[in-house]
């Protein structure tokens, strides 16, 4: 990062520059949304602990931008899947880094909450200038919500470019060994994948 080996940067210093939200996260029992968001301020706190005015401002911003203000006092475990994911994103935002890395942020969510989370992250990038890198296994979602894509196969980079450059029938065949038809979305024009075969028994 900035010419430095990331493995040699102290954890707390790195956490002030880069936020990582893993696929599965569990909050301690009885933790409220507000308390969870407060964990995101740890990299900025001194040895005495406690929240400064700057910490509170960052936490309030994270709460507002994720639309969780009405749920601030709710226990995290009592939230729906989509609300819980937004709470974790709010915690990550409270770190106030310029880079946010997300590992499959829509896993276990229904389609409505998937769209809410994808739209939220997209707005964070477009409206707040946060650089976002995420792992998405849904090719249509990756194409619709990303500016650039990196297609991997067993850890090796196969293609890098815009969605139209990466989401092609030939590249999908090469990476996943499946036949797909790729057409422009009728409204937005981004590449949309349709399977050529529905599977065995159809």
């Amino acid at each position: 990062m900035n010419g430095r080996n990331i493995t040699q940067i102290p954890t707390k210093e790195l956490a002030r520059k880069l936020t990582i939200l893993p696929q599965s996260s569990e909050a301690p029992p009885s933790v409220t949304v507000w308390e969870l968001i407060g964990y995101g301020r740890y990299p900025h706190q001194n040895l005495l602990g406690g929240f400064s005015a700057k910490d509170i401002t960052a936490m309030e911003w994270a709460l507002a931008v994720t639309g969780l203000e009405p749920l601030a006092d709710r226990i995290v475990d009592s939230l729906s899947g989509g609300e819980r994911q937004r709470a974790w994103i709010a915690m990550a935002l409270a770190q106030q880094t310029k880079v946010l890395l997300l590992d499959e942020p829509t896993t276990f969510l229904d389609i409505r909450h998937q769209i809410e989370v994808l739209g939220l992250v997209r707005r964070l990038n477009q409206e707040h200038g946060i650089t976002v890198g995420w792992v998405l296994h849904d090719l249509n979602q990756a194409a619709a919500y990303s500016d650039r894509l990196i297609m991997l196969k067993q850890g090796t980079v196969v293609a890098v470019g815009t969605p139209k450059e990466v989401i092609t029938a030939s590249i999908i065949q090469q990476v996943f060994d499946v036949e797909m038809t790729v057409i422009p979305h009728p409204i937005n024009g981004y590449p949309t994948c349709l399977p050529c075969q529905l599977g065995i028994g159809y």
Side-chain angles (χ1 to χ4, degrees), residues 31-81:
V31 167
T32 66
V33 170
W34 179 252
E35 290 169 336
L36 180 68
I37 293 173
Y39 292 156
R41 295 305 298 169
Y42 170 75
H44 302 277
Q45 292 179 315
N46 56 36
L47 295 176
L48 298 178
F51 293 127
S52 66
K54 187 175 182 180
D55 292 328
I56 297 298
T57 297
M59 292 164 64
E60 289 176 341
W61 174 79
L63 193 71
V65 80
T66 53
L68 290 172
E69 289 170 306
L71 305 177
D73 296 324
R74 286 274 301 275
I75 301 299
V76 173
D77 285 344
S78 72
L79 303 178
S80 70

Side-chain angles (χ1 to χ4, degrees), residues 17-176:
K17 302 176 183 296
L18 175 70
T19 304
I20 300 175
L21 189 61
Q23 178 179 342
S24 299
S25 302
E26 293 187 10
S30 302
V31 167
T32 66
V33 170
W34 179 252
E35 290 169 336
L36 180 68
I37 293 173
Y39 292 156
R41 295 305 298 169
Y42 170 75
H44 302 277
Q45 292 179 315
N46 56 36
L47 295 176
L48 298 178
F51 293 127
S52 66
K54 187 175 182 180
D55 292 328
I56 297 298
T57 297
M59 292 164 64
E60 289 176 341
W61 174 79
L63 193 71
V65 80
T66 53
L68 290 172
E69 289 170 306
L71 305 177
D73 296 324
R74 286 274 301 275
I75 301 299
V76 173
D77 285 344
S78 72
L79 303 178
S80 70
E83 292 168 342
R84 192 178 300 118
Q85 185 68 310
R86 281 191 287 141
W88 283 106
I89 292 174
M91 185 201 72
L93 293 177
Q95 285 184 227
Q96 291 200 315
T97 64
K98 294 182 179 180
V99 180
L100 175 62
L101 302 181
L102 304 170
D103 183 11
E104 299 187 52
T106 57
T107 298
F108 307 125
L109 301 182
D110 62 33
I111 187 62
R112 175 184 173 179
H113 288 120
Q114 288 180 30
I115 292 172
E116 286 180 354
V117 168
L118 291 165
L120 167 62
V121 175
R122 185 65 171 158
R123 289 193 302 276
L124 293 172
N125 170 253
Q126 294 182 327
E127 297 175 12
H128 299 281
I130 298 174
T131 299
V132 177
W134 52 11
V135 176
L136 293 173
H137 285 167
D138 186 309
L139 298 181
N140 290 330
Q141 291 182 352
Y145 290 92
S146 305
D147 294 316
R148 292 183 64 80
L149 300 177
I150 301 174
M151 186 81 81
L152 302 175
K153 181 176 183 179
Q154 297 178 344
T156 300
V157 175
V158 174
V160 179
T162 65
K164 289 183 179 180
E165 292 170 336
V166 173
I167 304 296
T168 68
S170 61
I171 291 176
I172 294 171
Q173 174 75 49
Q174 178 184 352
V175 173
F176 298 103

